[in-house]
Amino acid sequence: SFSLGHNRVSKGGWARQVTVRDLPISKDIAGVNMRLEKGAVRELHWHIPAEWAYMIYGTARITGVDSAGRAFVSDVGKGDLWYFPGGIPHSIQGIGDDGCEFLLVFDDGRFSEFDTFLITDWMAHTPRGVLAKNFSMPESTFDPLPKHELYIFPAPMPNSLADDIKSAVGPQGEVPNRFDYRLLAQKPDKKDKGGEVRIVDSTRFKASTTIAAALVNLDPGGLRELHWHPNADEWQFYVSGKGRMTVFTGGGKARTMDFQAGDVGYIEKSVPHYIENTGDAPLEFLEIFKSPRYEDISLALWMAHLPPELLEAHLHLTRGTIESIPKEKMVITPV
Protein backbone atom coordinates (compact mmCIF):
# COMPACT_ATOMS: atom_id res chain seq x y z
CA SER A 1 0.00 0.00 0.00
CA PHE A 2 1.20 3.52 -0.80
CA SER A 3 0.05 4.47 2.71
CA LEU A 4 2.96 2.41 4.10
CA GLY A 5 5.54 4.29 2.03
CA HIS A 6 7.54 7.37 2.96
CA ASN A 7 5.50 10.50 2.22
CA ARG A 8 7.65 13.50 1.29
CA VAL A 9 5.64 16.62 2.13
CA SER A 10 6.57 19.97 0.59
CA LYS A 11 4.97 23.38 0.61
CA GLY A 12 2.48 22.87 -2.19
CA GLY A 13 2.03 19.12 -2.20
CA TRP A 14 3.37 15.67 -1.40
CA ALA A 15 4.73 12.51 -3.00
CA ARG A 16 5.10 8.88 -1.92
CA GLN A 17 6.54 5.95 -3.81
CA VAL A 18 6.56 2.16 -4.10
CA THR A 19 9.74 0.77 -5.67
CA VAL A 20 11.65 -2.51 -5.64
CA ARG A 21 12.95 -1.46 -2.22
CA ASP A 22 9.39 -1.58 -0.85
CA LEU A 23 8.06 -4.38 -3.06
CA PRO A 24 11.04 -6.62 -3.93
CA ILE A 25 9.18 -8.55 -6.63
CA SER A 26 8.65 -5.33 -8.63
CA LYS A 27 11.90 -5.24 -10.59
CA ASP A 28 10.47 -3.75 -13.79
CA ILE A 29 8.24 -0.93 -12.54
CA ALA A 30 8.21 1.70 -9.80
CA GLY A 31 5.26 3.92 -8.91
CA VAL A 32 4.75 7.36 -7.37
CA ASN A 33 1.52 8.85 -6.02
CA MET A 34 1.66 12.66 -6.04
CA ARG A 35 -0.60 15.56 -5.14
CA LEU A 36 -0.12 19.20 -6.13
CA GLU A 37 -2.12 22.07 -4.68
CA LYS A 38 -3.53 24.74 -6.98
CA GLY A 39 -0.60 26.58 -8.55
CA ALA A 40 2.03 24.22 -7.10
CA VAL A 41 4.70 22.91 -9.46
CA ARG A 42 6.67 19.68 -9.60
CA GLU A 43 9.73 21.54 -10.72
CA LEU A 44 11.41 21.26 -14.11
CA HIS A 45 13.27 17.96 -14.10
CA TRP A 46 14.11 14.79 -15.97
CA HIS A 47 15.17 11.24 -15.16
CA ILE A 48 16.68 8.18 -16.77
CA PRO A 49 13.54 5.96 -16.91
CA ALA A 50 10.46 6.90 -18.91
CA GLU A 51 7.47 8.34 -17.01
CA TRP A 52 3.86 7.24 -17.66
CA ALA A 53 1.07 8.93 -15.69
CA TYR A 54 -2.63 8.59 -14.91
CA MET A 55 -4.62 11.56 -13.60
CA ILE A 56 -6.67 10.49 -10.57
CA TYR A 57 -8.45 13.81 -10.12
CA GLY A 58 -8.15 17.53 -10.78
CA THR A 59 -6.37 19.34 -13.60
CA ALA A 60 -2.69 19.89 -14.36
CA ARG A 61 -0.60 21.68 -16.95
CA ILE A 62 2.33 19.69 -18.28
CA THR A 63 5.26 20.86 -20.38
CA GLY A 64 8.08 19.12 -22.19
CA VAL A 65 10.64 19.57 -24.95
CA ASP A 66 12.42 16.94 -27.04
CA SER A 67 16.02 16.79 -28.26
CA ALA A 68 15.11 18.63 -31.47
CA GLY A 69 13.74 21.59 -29.51
CA ARG A 70 10.12 20.74 -30.31
CA ALA A 71 7.83 21.90 -27.51
CA PHE A 72 4.79 20.45 -25.78
CA VAL A 73 2.31 22.16 -23.46
CA SER A 74 -1.06 20.67 -22.51
CA ASP A 75 -3.73 20.54 -19.82
CA VAL A 76 -4.74 17.11 -18.49
CA GLY A 77 -7.69 16.09 -16.33
CA LYS A 78 -9.19 13.04 -14.63
CA GLY A 79 -8.55 9.86 -16.61
CA ASP A 80 -5.96 11.44 -18.91
CA LEU A 81 -2.48 10.00 -19.44
CA TRP A 82 0.92 11.41 -20.22
CA TYR A 83 4.23 9.82 -21.16
CA PHE A 84 7.66 11.41 -21.17
CA PRO A 85 10.46 9.24 -22.61
CA GLY A 86 13.59 8.89 -20.53
CA GLY A 87 15.72 12.04 -20.54
CA ILE A 88 12.91 14.34 -21.75
CA PRO A 89 12.74 17.43 -19.46
CA HIS A 90 9.27 18.26 -18.22
CA SER A 91 7.16 19.88 -15.50
CA ILE A 92 3.74 19.44 -13.88
CA GLN A 93 1.62 22.20 -12.32
CA GLY A 94 -1.67 21.83 -10.47
CA ILE A 95 -4.26 24.18 -11.98
CA GLY A 96 -7.55 22.68 -10.79
CA ASP A 97 -9.57 24.42 -8.08
CA ASP A 98 -8.40 21.73 -5.66
CA GLY A 99 -5.13 21.07 -7.43
CA CYS A 100 -4.61 17.54 -8.71
CA GLU A 101 -3.53 14.03 -7.79
CA PHE A 102 -1.93 11.53 -10.14
CA LEU A 103 -0.08 8.24 -10.43
CA LEU A 104 3.39 8.17 -11.98
CA VAL A 105 4.79 4.91 -13.34
CA PHE A 106 8.46 4.39 -14.26
CA ASP A 107 9.87 1.57 -16.38
CA ASP A 108 12.56 0.68 -13.82
CA GLY A 109 11.76 -0.79 -10.39
CA ARG A 110 14.92 0.80 -8.93
CA PHE A 111 13.80 4.34 -9.75
CA SER A 112 13.55 6.86 -6.89
CA GLU A 113 11.36 9.95 -7.18
CA PHE A 114 13.54 11.67 -4.62
CA ASP A 115 16.73 11.44 -6.68
CA THR A 116 15.87 13.00 -10.05
CA PHE A 117 17.70 15.65 -12.08
CA LEU A 118 16.26 19.04 -11.01
CA ILE A 119 16.97 22.32 -12.80
CA THR A 120 17.45 24.21 -9.51
CA ASP A 121 19.76 21.55 -8.07
CA TRP A 122 21.99 21.47 -11.14
CA MET A 123 22.27 25.23 -11.53
CA ALA A 124 22.90 25.69 -7.80
CA HIS A 125 25.88 23.34 -8.12
CA THR A 126 27.31 24.95 -11.25
CA PRO A 127 29.86 27.78 -10.85
CA ARG A 128 28.49 31.24 -11.66
CA GLY A 129 31.35 31.75 -14.12
CA VAL A 130 30.32 28.64 -16.06
CA LEU A 131 26.68 29.77 -16.15
CA ALA A 132 27.79 33.18 -17.37
CA LYS A 133 29.76 31.60 -20.22
CA ASN A 134 26.97 29.17 -21.09
CA PHE A 135 24.28 31.86 -21.39
CA SER A 136 26.57 34.75 -22.47
CA MET A 137 25.38 36.85 -19.54
CA PRO A 138 27.05 38.60 -16.59
CA GLU A 139 27.64 36.42 -13.52
CA SER A 140 25.45 38.76 -11.45
CA THR A 141 22.48 37.65 -13.56
CA PHE A 142 22.46 34.38 -11.61
CA ASP A 143 22.66 35.80 -8.07
CA PRO A 144 18.91 35.23 -7.43
CA LEU A 145 19.09 31.49 -8.18
CA PRO A 146 17.84 29.23 -5.35
CA LYS A 147 20.67 27.63 -3.41
CA HIS A 148 18.78 24.34 -2.98
CA GLU A 149 16.30 22.29 -4.97
CA LEU A 150 12.63 23.33 -4.92
CA TYR A 151 11.09 19.94 -5.87
CA ILE A 152 7.41 20.85 -5.19
CA PHE A 153 6.72 24.52 -4.57
CA PRO A 154 3.94 27.16 -4.84
CA ALA A 155 4.01 29.28 -7.98
CA PRO A 156 1.79 31.82 -9.75
CA MET A 157 -0.98 30.35 -11.87
CA PRO A 158 0.02 29.99 -15.53
CA ASN A 159 -1.31 32.02 -18.42
CA SER A 160 -3.97 30.59 -20.72
CA LEU A 161 -3.07 27.35 -22.46
CA ALA A 162 -3.02 29.14 -25.82
CA ASP A 163 -0.62 31.78 -24.51
CA ASP A 164 1.70 29.21 -22.96
CA ILE A 165 1.79 27.18 -26.18
CA LYS A 166 2.58 30.32 -28.16
CA SER A 167 5.41 31.19 -25.76
CA ALA A 168 6.90 27.70 -25.76
CA VAL A 169 6.75 26.73 -29.42
CA GLY A 170 9.64 27.97 -31.54
CA PRO A 171 10.66 27.51 -35.18
CA GLN A 172 11.15 23.76 -34.59
CA GLY A 173 7.41 23.39 -33.95
CA GLU A 174 5.65 20.97 -31.62
CA VAL A 175 6.53 17.35 -30.81
CA PRO A 176 5.40 14.99 -33.61
CA ASN A 177 3.70 12.56 -31.21
CA ARG A 178 1.81 14.17 -28.35
CA PHE A 179 2.92 13.30 -24.83
CA ASP A 180 -0.71 13.11 -23.55
CA TYR A 181 -3.66 10.83 -24.27
CA ARG A 182 -7.39 11.09 -23.42
CA LEU A 183 -8.05 7.57 -22.18
CA LEU A 184 -11.66 8.11 -21.08
CA ALA A 185 -12.50 9.50 -24.52
CA GLN A 186 -11.51 6.12 -25.96
CA LYS A 187 -14.35 3.69 -26.57
CA PRO A 188 -14.13 0.69 -24.18
CA ASP A 189 -12.48 -2.33 -25.75
CA LYS A 190 -14.89 -4.52 -23.84
CA LYS A 191 -18.13 -3.58 -22.10
CA ASP A 192 -20.83 -5.80 -20.64
CA LYS A 193 -22.96 -6.17 -17.51
CA GLY A 194 -19.85 -6.89 -15.44
CA GLY A 195 -17.96 -3.69 -16.29
CA GLU A 196 -15.66 -2.30 -18.96
CA VAL A 197 -12.01 -2.26 -20.02
CA ARG A 198 -9.97 0.28 -21.98
CA ILE A 199 -6.60 -0.86 -23.34
CA VAL A 200 -3.90 1.60 -24.37
CA ASP A 201 -0.45 0.89 -25.76
CA SER A 202 1.89 2.23 -28.43
CA THR A 203 -0.56 1.36 -31.20
CA ARG A 204 -2.86 4.09 -29.86
CA PHE A 205 -0.70 6.29 -27.67
CA LYS A 206 2.23 6.63 -30.08
CA ALA A 207 4.62 8.30 -27.62
CA SER A 208 4.26 5.51 -25.05
CA THR A 209 6.85 3.10 -26.39
CA THR A 210 7.74 1.29 -23.14
CA ILE A 211 4.48 1.19 -21.16
CA ALA A 212 1.17 -0.49 -22.01
CA ALA A 213 -1.89 -0.43 -19.75
CA ALA A 214 -5.50 -1.37 -19.24
CA LEU A 215 -8.02 0.58 -17.16
CA VAL A 216 -10.48 -1.93 -15.69
CA ASN A 217 -13.83 -1.10 -14.09
CA LEU A 218 -15.62 -4.01 -12.42
CA ASP A 219 -19.20 -3.74 -11.18
CA PRO A 220 -20.00 -5.30 -7.77
CA GLY A 221 -19.62 -9.06 -8.16
CA GLY A 222 -17.76 -8.66 -11.46
CA LEU A 223 -14.75 -10.80 -12.35
CA ARG A 224 -11.65 -9.99 -14.39
CA GLU A 225 -11.51 -13.41 -15.99
CA LEU A 226 -8.85 -16.07 -15.39
CA HIS A 227 -5.90 -15.07 -17.60
CA TRP A 228 -2.17 -14.35 -17.84
CA HIS A 229 0.16 -12.02 -19.72
CA PRO A 230 2.82 -13.71 -21.88
CA ASN A 231 4.97 -10.67 -22.67
CA ALA A 232 5.55 -8.75 -19.41
CA ASP A 233 5.09 -8.60 -15.64
CA GLU A 234 1.92 -6.81 -14.49
CA TRP A 235 2.04 -3.89 -12.01
CA GLN A 236 -1.37 -2.91 -10.65
CA PHE A 237 -2.70 0.23 -9.01
CA TYR A 238 -6.11 0.16 -7.33
CA VAL A 239 -7.83 3.51 -7.92
CA SER A 240 -11.10 2.92 -6.04
CA GLY A 241 -13.28 0.19 -4.58
CA LYS A 242 -12.41 -3.16 -3.03
CA GLY A 243 -11.14 -6.27 -4.78
CA ARG A 244 -9.66 -9.69 -4.25
CA MET A 245 -6.94 -11.23 -6.39
CA THR A 246 -5.79 -14.83 -6.53
CA VAL A 247 -2.48 -15.70 -8.16
CA PHE A 248 -1.63 -19.33 -9.01
CA THR A 249 2.11 -20.07 -9.17
CA GLY A 250 2.06 -23.76 -10.06
CA GLY A 251 2.89 -26.82 -7.99
CA GLY A 252 -0.39 -26.49 -6.13
CA LYS A 253 0.60 -23.06 -4.75
CA ALA A 254 -1.57 -19.95 -4.83
CA ARG A 255 -2.05 -16.73 -2.88
CA THR A 256 -5.20 -14.67 -2.36
CA MET A 257 -5.11 -11.06 -1.11
CA ASP A 258 -7.58 -8.21 -0.71
CA PHE A 259 -6.91 -4.80 -2.25
CA GLN A 260 -8.37 -1.31 -1.87
CA ALA A 261 -7.72 2.21 -3.15
CA GLY A 262 -4.03 3.13 -3.02
CA ASP A 263 -2.74 -0.46 -3.06
CA VAL A 264 -0.26 -1.93 -5.51
CA GLY A 265 -0.29 -5.49 -6.85
CA TYR A 266 2.31 -7.35 -8.92
CA ILE A 267 2.16 -10.53 -11.01
CA GLU A 268 5.16 -11.97 -12.82
CA LYS A 269 5.03 -12.69 -16.54
CA SER A 270 2.81 -15.61 -17.58
CA VAL A 271 1.60 -16.29 -14.01
CA PRO A 272 -2.20 -16.91 -14.07
CA HIS A 273 -4.54 -14.83 -11.91
CA TYR A 274 -7.99 -13.27 -11.60
CA ILE A 275 -9.56 -10.31 -9.77
CA GLU A 276 -13.03 -10.05 -8.24
CA ASN A 277 -14.95 -7.00 -7.07
CA THR A 278 -15.76 -7.88 -3.45
CA GLY A 279 -17.30 -4.53 -2.51
CA ASP A 280 -20.67 -2.89 -3.04
CA ALA A 281 -19.30 -0.14 -5.32
CA PRO A 282 -17.42 -0.25 -8.63
CA LEU A 283 -13.80 -1.44 -8.52
CA GLU A 284 -11.39 0.54 -10.69
CA PHE A 285 -7.77 -0.50 -11.19
CA LEU A 286 -4.93 -0.17 -13.67
CA GLU A 287 -2.97 -3.04 -15.20
CA ILE A 288 0.43 -1.69 -16.29
CA PHE A 289 3.21 -3.41 -18.25
CA LYS A 290 6.76 -2.58 -19.27
CA SER A 291 6.05 -3.30 -22.92
CA PRO A 292 5.06 -1.40 -26.08
CA ARG A 293 2.14 -3.78 -26.56
CA TYR A 294 -0.65 -5.09 -24.35
CA GLU A 295 -1.11 -8.87 -24.49
CA ASP A 296 -3.12 -11.34 -22.45
CA ILE A 297 -4.26 -14.92 -22.82
CA SER A 298 -7.66 -15.97 -21.49
CA LEU A 299 -8.15 -19.42 -19.98
CA ALA A 300 -11.66 -19.63 -21.44
CA LEU A 301 -10.50 -18.49 -24.89
CA TRP A 302 -7.73 -21.10 -24.91
CA MET A 303 -10.18 -23.83 -23.93
CA ALA A 304 -12.68 -22.69 -26.57
CA HIS A 305 -10.11 -23.15 -29.34
CA LEU A 306 -9.07 -26.69 -28.50
CA PRO A 307 -10.51 -29.93 -29.93
CA PRO A 308 -13.38 -30.75 -27.52
CA GLU A 309 -12.32 -34.37 -27.08
CA LEU A 310 -8.92 -33.16 -25.84
CA LEU A 311 -10.61 -31.08 -23.13
CA GLU A 312 -12.95 -33.92 -22.26
CA ALA A 313 -9.96 -36.15 -21.63
CA HIS A 314 -8.26 -33.54 -19.46
CA LEU A 315 -11.10 -32.03 -17.42
CA HIS A 316 -13.90 -34.62 -17.61
CA LEU A 317 -16.34 -31.89 -18.68
CA THR A 318 -19.32 -32.70 -20.85
CA ARG A 319 -19.29 -31.89 -24.55
CA GLY A 320 -22.18 -29.47 -24.00
CA THR A 321 -20.25 -27.55 -21.35
CA ILE A 322 -17.19 -27.29 -23.56
CA GLU A 323 -19.15 -26.13 -26.60
CA SER A 324 -20.89 -23.42 -24.54
CA ILE A 325 -17.58 -21.62 -23.81
CA PRO A 326 -17.51 -18.44 -25.95
CA LYS A 327 -14.93 -18.31 -28.74
CA GLU A 328 -14.43 -14.57 -28.17
CA LYS A 329 -12.42 -13.18 -25.26
CA MET A 330 -14.65 -12.15 -22.35
CA VAL A 331 -12.08 -10.07 -20.36
CA ILE A 332 -14.83 -9.35 -17.81
CA THR A 333 -17.45 -11.97 -17.04
CA PRO A 334 -21.05 -10.74 -16.69
CA VAL A 335 -22.41 -10.51 -13.15
Side-chain angles (χ1 to χ4, degrees), residues 21-33:
R21 291 172 285 276
D22 312 287
L23 187 63
I25 195 175
S26 185
K27 298 178 178 64
D28 280 354
I29 291 177
V32 173
N33 180 207

Side-chain angles (χ1 to χ4, degrees), residues 29-312:
I29 291 177
V32 173
N33 180 207
M34 184 177 292
R35 168 163 163 71
L36 299 176
E37 297 176 4
K38 184 177 182 179
V41 177
R42 169 62 170 97
E43 78 158 279
L44 293 156
H45 69 287
W46 71 101
H47 27 71
I48 296 170
E51 173 183 302
W52 184 99
Y54 176 80
M55 285 288 291
I56 297 172
Y57 81 83
T59 310
R61 179 158 301 170
I62 56 176
T63 71
V65 64
D66 69 9
S67 60
R70 294 172 295 195
F72 174 79
V73 183
S74 183
D75 289 348
V76 288
K78 178 178 170 57
D80 290 341
L81 313 178
W82 72 74
Y83 179 92
F84 292 116
I88 295 295
H90 55 282
S91 68
I92 313 159
Q93 183 171 18
I95 60 173
D97 290 338
D98 189 31
C100 60
E101 182 180 349
F102 44 88
L103 173 73
L104 302 174
V105 173
F106 300 89
D107 58 4
D108 183 351
R110 300 167 299 171
F111 171 81
S112 174
E113 168 65 16
F114 310 132
D115 193 23
T116 57
F117 301 112
L118 307 176
I119 190 171
T120 54
D121 192 30
W122 191 21
M123 295 185 74
H125 290 85
T126 302
R128 292 290 187 268
V130 173
L131 293 174
K133 288 181 182 180
N134 188 78
F135 293 100
S136 299
M137 297 176 182
E139 287 189 31
S140 59
T141 302
F142 304 97
D143 289 344
L145 287 177
K147 301 194 184 306
H148 304 282
E149 67 177 51
L150 298 180
Y151 185 60
I152 294 175
F153 64 99
M157 288 291 287
N159 296 318
S160 71
L161 179 59
D163 286 345
D164 273 5
I165 292 174
K166 184 177 180 181
S167 298
V169 177
Q172 300 91 343
E174 299 184 66
V175 295
N177 292 317
R178 294 183 61 87
F179 291 140
D180 62 350
Y181 185 82
R182 314 298 178 192
L183 181 58
L184 297 186
Q186 175 185 308
K187 181 181 177 182
D189 292 88
K190 192 71 175 181
K191 185 173 183 178
D192 58 33
K193 293 180 180 179
E196 62 183 31
V197 179
R198 289 176 171 86
I199 296 169
V200 57
D201 61 18
S202 61
T203 62
R204 289 169 168 165
F205 187 9
K206 302 296 184 184
S208 186
T209 56
T210 64
I211 297 290
L215 177 64
V216 182
N217 281 274
L218 291 180
D219 292 332
L223 177 73
R224 173 68 173 93
E225 67 169 327
L226 281 74
H227 68 286
W228 64 94
H229 303 275
N231 63 327
D233 292 2
E234 176 180 342
W235 190 94
Q236 299 171 333
F237 176 73
Y238 288 80
V239 180
S240 61
K242 295 181 179 181
R244 179 169 296 163
M245 178 169 68
T246 294
V247 178
F248 175 70
T249 59
K253 298 185 294 292
R255 172 163 289 185
T256 299
M257 292 190 71
D258 288 338
F259 293 83
Q260 59 185 358
D263 288 349
V264 171
Y266 198 91
I267 307 101
E268 294 178 305
K269 181 170 65 175
S270 292
V271 172
H273 56 283
Y274 61 89
I275 301 101
E276 299 175 272
N277 183 341
T278 55
D280 54 10
L283 171 66
E284 181 179 39
F285 64 94
L286 286 157
E287 304 176 355
I288 299 172
F289 309 87
K290 183 179 178 179
S291 172
R293 295 291 301 272
Y294 176 94
E295 294 182 12
D296 74 353
I297 294 178
S298 156
L299 174 62
L301 191 67
W302 177 37
M303 292 171 61
H305 288 82
L306 290 171
E309 62 274 9
L310 185 61
L311 271 183
E312 285 180 320

